[in-house]
Amino acid sequence: MINAKSVKFKNLFSVGNTFQEFDLKENSNLLVVGKSGHGKSTIIDAITFALFGRTYKDLNKGQLINSINKKNLVVEFEFNEYKVIRGISPNLFEIYKDGELIPQTGDVRDYQKNLEKNILNMNYKSFTQVVVLGSAAFMPFMKLQAAHRREVIEDLLDLHVFSKMSLLLKSKNDINKAELADINIKVQSLKSSIKTMNEMIEEQSINSNEEIQSIIAARDIKRDKTTALNNELKKLVEEEKELLKIKDSFPVSEGEVVDKILALNKKKTAIITKIDILKKTITFIDSNDDCPTCKQDITFEYKASIVEENNKSISELDLKIPKIDTNLTKCNNIFDEIKKSKDDISAIKSNTSVKKTMLNSMITTVEEMNERIDKLKNKVKSEVSTIKLDALKREITLENKKYDKHKRIAENYVNCQKILKDNGIKSVIINKYIPLLNQHINSYLEKFDMFVSFELDSSFNETIKSRHRDKFSYNSFSEGQKKRIDFSILLAMRDIAKMKNSVACNLLIIDELMDGLDVDNVDNLENILSEFDQTNTIIISHSEDIKNRQLFDKTIKAELVKNFTTYEEV
Ligand SMILES: Nc1ncnc2c1ncn2[C@@H]1O[C@H](COP(=O)(O)OP(=O)(O)OP(=O)(O)O)[C@@H](O)[C@H]1O
Ligand SMILES: [Mg+2]
């Protein structure tokens, strides 16, 4: 709510180089009188120039400065904790808060924007709609286009916050879109890197796999051979067992057989020696008739007996030899069998040992091949490219997550934008307040003795129904009636503004419009204004009659003396 405190100005229009000051603090009704062209309406221009850099009369800057002094136009307007100073020649625009200058960070336009959006909470259009009812450049609400009516109502209902949000949202959405596009580019580039990396790894793994497969094939052959060798060894063990059984089954040991053969041979040799001696004795006897030693005669009889006796012994001995030979053959056979069995066992043992050595070497080779296969498989996994691929995959997962997040944000923005559009939340609020505004307008119309039903719809088009006429528009009314409608709308808007604490200002300036009302309606207006508290009403009039009305606490007279306007309390 703007609580005006004072306005002072110099070198504006017909005002000269001396500051003319109006105290606006008091909640009073001020009457400004004076002849035509004496500077009454200048007070409105001073305020709108201070706040918005433009005058109510809608002139360009050069036309505002006093044509005699041609410089030093300065307007100072104080309200709440602020003071705005604006000037031309030299140019001046300063906003003070609690006596301290608010620094200009951007350009003048930003400074002005800050004043309107963050301090005044209204723009020129809204200000003139709720503060000033004038005759000069005043554009009654009913003469505004629907779009401008919407602007005023949006200010009134403080809906510009949604427009601000919409703008903010748009810029955020743009940033989000740009980020989405960036992420998308990154994702695409990561995808292509992953594809290349996959191809590389596939090629590497094909090479490694070929090596692995060839080793597996060689290993399988070796493993099969190992199994076969193992089976052979098992067989050999069985065979050895069988041979040992046979060896154990011999009735005599090898040593015993050898002993027996030696004994038999010895026996046989002894017999042959004996036979030989006996034969030699026979030959001697046959060839000698006396003893060579003692020279005694050997008798025939004696010879015959010796030969007979020896031949008998030879025969007996000859009979013994075949028996010995038979035994010898048996023993030799047994010896041969035992020897063969021993030889077989030792051959198997040596075969087993050789095969065991072979088996161990094969097992070692198979193990080595298995190790090589594992190493190759692990090599594929631990290749630098595989590690890089994993990193890329992790990165793309992160980027995809980011993308999803931004996508969700974008969807939210779209939904929010729908809400912030004119037909969104704003229309909900407008639809809520329009009936209230209508109610207030109709209530003021009644106070002005206008018994019509006024209805503004949500598209800001009006329907006015009169008792006897159905189709009535604003233009159908007389000038005086139009003024009353304008008054009613302005007053109703001020009520709503007060309720919403939006475009509220304690100032209400009525320029000349009172003059157009008949006595009854001046009474009505007077009644209405007297009900207002916390309102500083400035009524500008050139009617001398109005001066005597009780409504006014103070009357100021604007007077043009020697080309310069001054204001005096009368
Ligand atoms: N640049 C200027 N230099 C000096 N005087 C100017 C300049 N521009 C306008 N004027 C005069 O300043 C005065 C402005 O007065 P203002 O509009 O406040 O009159 P008013 O008292 O409201 O009159 P009315 O009752 O006819 O509306 C006029 O006399 C006008 O001719
Ligand atoms: Mg005027």
Side-chain angles (χ1 to χ4, degrees):
M1 166 108 177
I2 300 172
N3 271 308
K5 287 181 179 168
S6 70
V7 62
K8 62 178 188 177
F9 44 95
K10 61 179 187 179
N11 293 311
L12 174 68
F13 300 143
S14 54
V15 175
N17 202 28
T18 310
F19 267 122
Q20 299 297 312
E21 184 165 359
F22 285 79
D23 185 356
L24 306 171
K25 275 196 296 291
E26 292 164 28
N27 294 321
S28 58
N29 294 324
L30 172 74
L31 176 68
V32 181
V33 291
K35 290 184 185 157
S36 174
H38 277 226
K40 301 182 293 297
S41 304
T42 303
I43 184 173
I44 307 172
D45 296 290
I47 295 171
T48 60
F49 178 70
L51 295 181
F52 304 102
R54 56 194 281 194
T55 58
Y56 196 60
K57 290 193 178 73
D58 205 16
L59 298 166
N60 65 44
K61 278 190 175 181
Q63 295 171 295
L64 314 187
I65 200 158
N66 180 267
S67 58
I68 298 166
N69 295 329
K70 290 191 173 71
K71 59 177 182 179
N72 288 335
L73 184 161
V74 180
V75 181
E76 288 185 24
F77 182 65
E78 280 190 68
F79 63 100
N80 306 2
E81 64 269 44
Y82 296 96
K83 176 156 96 173
V84 182
I85 305 177
R86 211 185 287 255
I88 305 175
S89 192
N91 276 340
L92 193 64
F93 179 25
E94 288 170 346
I95 307 168
Y96 291 83
K97 185 181 181 187
D98 295 321
E100 276 201 35
L101 179 71
I102 298 174
Q104 259 194 50
T105 46
D107 61 15
V108 177
R109 267 178 306 203
D110 293 333
Y111 205 50
Q112 180 63 32
K113 222 182 251 175
N114 179 43
L115 175 64
E116 290 180 20
K117 295 208 164 161
N118 302 321
I119 300 173
L120 300 173
N121 219 15
M122 65 177 98
N123 59 20
Y124 175 79
K125 206 168 277 160
S126 303
F127 182 84
T128 51
Q129 286 297 319
V130 294
V131 175
V132 188
L133 253 177
S135 59
F138 176 66
M139 179 64 104
F141 182 81
M142 296 314 300
K143 285 191 177 165
L144 292 177
Q145 300 288 317
H148 289 153
R149 288 182 184 184
R150 167 178 277 279
E151 262 179 51
V152 172
I153 298 285
E154 281 191 4
D155 262 0
L156 187 73
L157 299 179
D158 216 1
L159 298 182
H160 282 302
V161 66
F162 297 112
S163 305
K164 271 188 219 168
M165 280 165 77
S166 183
L167 274 177
L168 211 69
L169 201 65
K170 195 183 168 300
S171 82
K172 281 194 165 192
N173 197 19
D174 289 346
I175 293 168
N176 193 50
K177 267 186 193 165
E179 278 172 351
L180 256 177
D182 283 351
I183 296 170
N184 200 22
I185 289 169
K186 207 165 177 188
V187 167
Q188 294 314 320
S189 126
L190 280 168
K191 270 186 186 167
S192 113
S193 302
I194 287 173
K195 191 172 167 253
T196 315
M197 202 56 90
N198 267 329
E199 284 166 1
M200 231 169 82
I201 288 169
E202 202 169 327
E203 206 174 300
Q204 281 170 353
S205 82
I206 283 171
N207 293 339
S208 297
N209 279 340
E210 275 173 5
E211 198 181 343
I212 290 169
Q213 288 313 316
S214 84
I215 296 171
I216 286 176
R219 186 220 39 206
D220 287 351
I221 291 168
K222 269 270 185 289
R223 207 161 50 185
D224 290 349
K225 278 188 183 167
T226 310
T227 312
L229 201 58
N230 217 357
N231 290 337
E232 276 178 42
L233 268 168
K234 275 182 195 163
K235 261 189 203 164
L236 285 174
V237 169
E238 287 307 310
E239 276 176 34
E240 191 185 340
K241 270 187 197 165
E242 285 304 309
L243 286 172
L244 282 170
K245 262 189 213 166
I246 292 167
K247 190 187 155 214
D248 290 343
S249 68
F250 287 120
V252 283
S253 71
E254 190 187 5
E256 283 171 337
V257 173
V258 170
D259 286 350
K260 189 131 192 196
I261 289 169
L262 284 174
L264 283 169
N265 277 327
K266 202 174 170 186
K267 202 172 176 184
K268 191 179 168 183
T269 311
I271 288 170
I272 289 166
T273 309
K274 259 184 192 173
I275 290 171
D276 204 32
I277 290 166
L278 286 168
K279 279 180 180 174
K280 275 179 182 168
T281 304
I282 290 169
T283 308
F284 179 78
I285 291 284
D286 274 346
S287 49
N288 288 295
D289 290 333
D290 52 10
C291 175
T293 319
C294 66
K295 299 301 185 191
Q296 276 188 8
D297 290 342
I298 303 165
T299 68
F300 181 73
E301 285 88 13
Y302 181 69
K303 275 188 181 185
S305 73
I306 292 291
V307 168
E308 193 191 339
E309 201 180 309
N310 279 8
N311 276 336
K312 195 182 161 204
S313 292
I314 287 168
S315 297
E316 281 173 4
L317 286 168
D318 271 345
L319 281 173
K320 281 185 182 173
I321 287 173
K323 262 191 190 171
I324 290 170
D325 281 343
T326 308
N327 275 340
L328 264 173
T329 309
K330 269 188 193 170
C331 283
N332 277 328
N333 284 343
I334 290 169
F335 179 79
D336 288 345
E337 276 179 45
I338 290 175
K339 192 172 177 298
K340 187 178 173 295
S341 156
K342 261 180 78 181
D343 288 350
D344 286 352
I345 288 169
S346 98
I348 281 179
K349 276 194 171 155
S350 116
N351 199 4
T352 305
S353 156
V354 168
K355 291 205 160 139
K356 268 188 181 166
T357 311
M358 274 168 70
L359 184 67
N360 284 338
S361 142
M362 276 184 187
I363 289 170
T364 310
T365 311
V366 168
E367 279 170 359
E368 280 170 0
M369 284 172 155
N370 279 337
E371 272 175 26
R372 176 87 186 123
I373 291 164
D374 285 347
K375 263 188 192 164
L376 280 169
K377 282 182 179 171
N378 285 333
K379 191 181 152 212
V380 174
K381 279 186 205 158
S382 63
E383 287 291 352
V384 177
S385 40
T386 314
I387 294 165
K388 271 189 189 166
L389 180 70
D390 286 347
L392 285 172
K393 281 182 179 168
R394 278 196 299 277
E395 208 179 333
I396 204 169
T397 310
L398 278 178
E399 289 303 321
N400 277 331
K401 271 186 191 165
K402 264 199 225 168
Y403 187 85
D404 290 346
K405 189 182 151 199
H406 283 270
K407 197 91 194 156
R408 278 197 301 277
I409 291 173
E411 281 165 12
N412 284 342
Y413 284 165
V414 169
N415 289 334
C416 289
Q417 243 150 8
K418 273 186 204 160
I419 292 170
L420 294 174
K421 274 189 176 169
D422 283 353
N423 56 2
I425 190 152
K426 284 200 255 179
S427 75
V428 173
I429 297 171
I430 287 169
N431 287 339
K432 189 180 151 205
Y433 276 95
I434 287 275
L436 197 64
L437 183 69
N438 286 335
Q439 196 187 315
H440 279 248
I441 293 170
N442 284 312
S443 144
Y444 282 118
L445 283 170
E446 230 172 84
K447 285 178 183 167
F448 279 117
D449 295 331
M450 277 192 73
F451 298 97
V452 290
S453 154
F454 181 94
E455 202 182 319
L456 207 59
D457 63 21
S458 52
S459 309
F460 311 104
N461 296 313
E462 81 280 9
T463 316
I464 307 170
K465 283 183 188 159
S466 179
R467 243 175 243 162
H468 305 294
R469 284 170 260 189
D470 274 348
K471 288 212 166 174
F472 232 55
S473 74
Y474 177 73
N475 287 328
S476 318
F477 290 97
S478 76
E479 291 312 301
Q481 285 170 327
K482 279 184 200 159
K483 272 178 193 160
R484 283 182 272 162
I485 293 174
D486 295 343
F487 268 120
S488 303
I489 292 174
L490 177 130
L491 295 172
M493 285 206 288
R494 287 178 69 90
D495 290 346
I496 302 292
K498 215 169 189 180
M499 250 180 246
K500 290 280 301 171
N501 195 19
S502 56
V503 287
C505 179
N506 68 332
L507 282 181
L508 170 60
I509 307 172
I510 300 167
D511 188 2
E512 290 198 14
L513 287 198
M514 221 154 166
D515 302 345
L517 297 176
D518 59 26
V519 179
D520 289 346
N521 279 313
V522 172
D523 287 344
N524 291 335
L525 182 61
E526 210 173 65
N527 288 337
I528 292 166
L529 295 180
S530 62
E531 282 169 18
F532 289 168
D533 53 350
Q534 291 187 328
T535 303
N536 200 331
T537 314
I538 301 172
I539 302 222
I540 296 168
S541 173
H542 48 63
S543 157
E544 288 289 322
D545 307 339
I546 218 163
K547 252 192 339 203
N548 306 319
R549 289 199 169 260
Q550 285 191 338
L551 177 70
F552 306 109
D553 308 299
K554 212 166 160 184
T555 301
I556 301 269
K557 188 171 184 182
E559 211 162 3
L560 192 66
V561 183
K562 294 183 186 165
N563 296 320
F564 291 114
T565 292
T566 50
Y567 302 91
E568 294 292 335
E569 192 174 343
V570 288

